[in-house]
Amino acid sequence: MPQLSRCLLLLTLVGFLTAAQFSRRNSGLVRCHKEIGSSVSSCEGKYCYKMHTPVSDDSTRDGIVKKGCMNAADAQTEVGKCTRRPLEEGGAELMCVCNERDFCNSSTIPSTFLIVLISSCFFLIFLL
């Protein structure tokens, strides 16, 4: 039964972290990754964004990705969605705006961690 107590302790810790996250969300602000060029940090705002601009001079490159915070959304912006915005020189950039959780403009999904954590608890309880 020590596995059960460890698992309950782990789930309680996750519950406290989730409650802290919910409390922060009620403030109306989210924390976001801020990445422009080689500069990487974090910021806080009403929305997170991730923008991908294609590079027209070399089709083998992936383009430019910028991440950061916004406090206002324009008419072209749909929160929770990605929209294509035309560029003056042709083509279009992809702009994704979110505010459902902290660091929602990252490439990874934190819910994966939670699934692995719960699966590990069940494994410890029922198979060991």
Side-chain angles (χ1 to χ4, degrees):
M1 277 299 155
Q3 293 93 352
L4 180 61
S5 61
R6 275 189 239 150
C7 199
L8 288 174
L9 179 63
L10 201 54
L11 289 174
T12 302
L13 178 62
V14 169
F16 282 124
L17 291 174
T18 302
Q21 174 76 6
F22 182 74
S23 170
R24 184 182 226 11
R25 270 296 280 139
N26 282 342
S27 72
L29 300 176
V30 289
R31 290 180 296 166
C32 311
H33 292 289
K34 183 176 181 182
E35 184 177 322
I36 299 174
S38 60
S39 173
V40 178
S41 61
S42 64
C43 56
E44 194 171 84
K46 289 184 180 180
Y47 311 103
C48 298
Y49 75 86
K50 182 176 181 180
M51 182 172 50
H52 179 266
T53 305
V55 177
S56 59
D57 62 342
D58 183 0
S59 61
T60 61
R61 291 180 43 197
D62 289 336
I64 300 167
V65 175
K66 296 179 184 176
K67 298 177 184 178
C69 297
M70 298 176 10
N71 286 316
D74 60 19
Q76 293 179 332
T77 302
E78 289 187 60
V79 178
K81 294 186 177 184
C82 296
T83 54
R84 292 208 174 276
R85 298 175 175 213
L87 296 170
E88 289 180 17
E89 61 273 3
E93 68 184 6
L94 185 64
M95 177 75 150
C96 303
V97 178
C98 57
N99 67 350
E100 71 271 5
R101 61 180 167 78
D102 284 347
F103 302 109
C104 59
N105 63 342
S106 69
S107 299
T108 59
I109 302 171
S111 61
T112 304
F113 170 75
L114 191 57
I115 291 169
V116 169
L117 178 68
I118 292 171
S119 299
S120 300
C121 285
F122 281 116
F123 176 78
L124 286 172
I125 292 171
F126 295 112
L127 298 178
L128 293 181

